[in-house]
Amino acid sequence: MEFQQLKLFLAVAEALHFGRAAQQVGMAQPHLSRAIVRLEEEIGVRLFDRTSRRVALTAAGECLREEAIALLQAQRRAQETTRAVGQQRRCLRIAYVSAALYLALPAALRTLSGGQERVEFALQEATTNEQLSLLAAGEIDLGIGHPPFETHARLDSVLLSNDRFEAVLPADHRLANRAAIPFADLAGEPLVLFPEAQGPALYAAIRDRCRVAGHAMRVAATAPRLHGQLSLVAAGLGIGLAPTQSRSLSVAGTVRMPIRPYPAALVLTLKALYDPRSRHPALPLALTALRRGVAAGKRSRRYAE
């Protein structure tokens, strides 16, 4: 069985039509049909049920489809890693959620770009679920995202931080002159949050805390990035929640306030995600730099406080 055979098989498995699949791979339909027949003969099972009206995968075909995808992804990873080592190229492809920009990622990039073994980067912002797909496809080397996420047997994660939230109020809000605010008081106010689809587990945790405090959560507005949320708070639309690590990000017309007592369920966890089979020479350096950068940032913040 060869990789080219698997590529042809996947083309038919995706299209479930020999004519369309043949067009996609640039091959005459009879040649593609013969290639699939040879693959079936080599394996010894039928991969497709064919009738004059439809083409469908058999149970064996479904099994091969999953394995073929994994094999071709592994082939791409092997090619990329070998090429990087052979060319002595140390470009690390990193995807991150916006919260990584508060502390973890900038600190790591400073360390890696200024060290003796200088590392180049290709950076892109992506949700945690998008990162899982990119890692599985071998399109990035390192992700920085928020759990919980579906456990993937071929991926490992490293805890970077567990951050708390602070309340962010309009400067002229009636509660803005307090030293601290209990979550129960926040729960009765209109909130400015991120879209639920962006972080469903955290969104649910906030909703549950409001319910425990005796209020139905009221979301006045949403924005996908913290800066947008703070701008909406400054406009007086509601109260926001901001990670403590984001204190360097401020918007005129807002006031930050600690939440006391703090609800234990409200935690913003950040993890590094990677494929343990990766042989990228810069990956261990990056994981170490991320952990050290977060630790140094925490020490600096405690000293400043």
Side-chain angles (χ1 to χ4, degrees):
M1 187 187 305
E2 299 177 353
F3 285 117
Q4 182 61 24
Q5 289 177 292
L6 295 178
K7 291 176 182 177
L8 296 178
F9 163 75
L10 285 177
V12 180
E14 291 298 324
L16 292 178
H17 190 283
F18 278 84
R20 288 195 295 268
Q23 289 180 342
Q24 291 172 7
V25 299
M27 176 184 288
Q29 181 176 337
H31 294 320
L32 177 59
S33 297
R34 285 195 292 270
I36 297 301
V37 170
R38 285 195 297 269
L39 179 61
E40 290 177 320
E41 290 175 347
E42 180 179 339
I43 298 175
V45 296
R46 281 188 306 105
L47 301 174
F48 295 97
D49 285 326
R50 307 167 180 82
T51 69
S52 59
R53 294 186 176 183
R54 63 189 290 272
V55 175
L57 282 165
T58 63
E62 289 282 3
C63 179
L64 181 60
R65 179 180 178 274
E66 295 180 7
E67 293 297 330
I69 291 172
L71 284 169
L72 291 174
Q73 289 173 347
Q75 180 200 27
R76 285 195 294 270
R77 281 194 300 269
Q79 290 174 337
E80 286 292 326
T81 302
T82 303
R83 189 178 298 117
V85 173
Q87 297 175 350
Q88 295 185 338
R89 179 169 58 84
R90 303 180 67 81
C91 181
L92 192 69
R93 301 165 300 172
I94 304 174
Y96 58 89
V97 293
S98 58
L101 295 173
Y102 306 146
L103 179 61
L105 188 56
L109 296 184
R110 279 194 299 271
T111 299
L112 294 171
S113 60
Q116 293 181 345
E117 300 180 82
R118 185 167 180 172
V119 177
E120 297 178 358
F121 310 100
L123 304 172
Q124 67 179 99
E125 188 169 355
T127 66
T128 302
N129 285 335
E130 290 170 344
Q131 292 177 36
L132 293 172
S133 298
L134 291 169
L135 281 165
E139 296 177 12
I140 60 172
D141 305 298
L142 176 64
I144 307 174
H146 299 303
F149 40 77
E150 291 184 8
T151 302
H152 195 298
R154 295 177 177 175
L155 295 180
D156 276 355
S157 64
V158 173
L159 176 64
L160 298 177
S161 64
N162 284 317
D163 199 10
R164 290 187 169 193
F165 289 92
E166 296 173 320
V168 184
L169 289 73
D172 59 354
H173 195 279
R174 59 185 176 79
L175 302 176
N177 59 351
R178 295 187 180 184
I181 185 169
F183 192 89
D185 288 356
L186 297 179
E189 298 288 324
L191 299 177
V192 175
L193 298 176
F194 50 88
E196 183 176 6
Q198 186 173 315
L202 180 57
Y203 196 96
I206 297 171
R207 182 171 51 226
D208 289 344
R209 288 298 92 198
C210 290
R211 187 180 298 117
V212 169
H215 299 277
M217 184 173 73
R218 289 190 293 150
V219 179
T222 63
R225 301 291 174 266
L226 181 59
H227 188 276
Q229 295 167 32
L230 298 185
S231 297
L232 295 176
V233 171
L237 297 186
I239 292 177
L241 296 172
T244 61
Q245 291 181 7
S246 68
R247 288 175 184 168
S248 60
L249 179 62
S250 61
V251 171
T254 63
V255 174
R256 284 187 180 239
M257 186 180 300
I259 300 172
R260 296 187 188 130
Y262 192 84
L266 289 187
V267 179
L268 185 66
T269 301
L270 197 64
K271 284 191 172 185
L273 310 167
Y274 65 97
D275 188 333
R277 298 166 298 170
S278 172
R279 295 184 179 275
H280 197 295
L283 181 58
L285 298 175
L287 291 172
T288 299
L290 283 168
R291 289 192 294 263
R292 290 178 177 174
V294 171
K298 290 178 180 177
R299 289 194 299 270
S300 176
R301 191 169 70 233
R302 284 197 297 267
Y303 177 79
E305 293 172 349

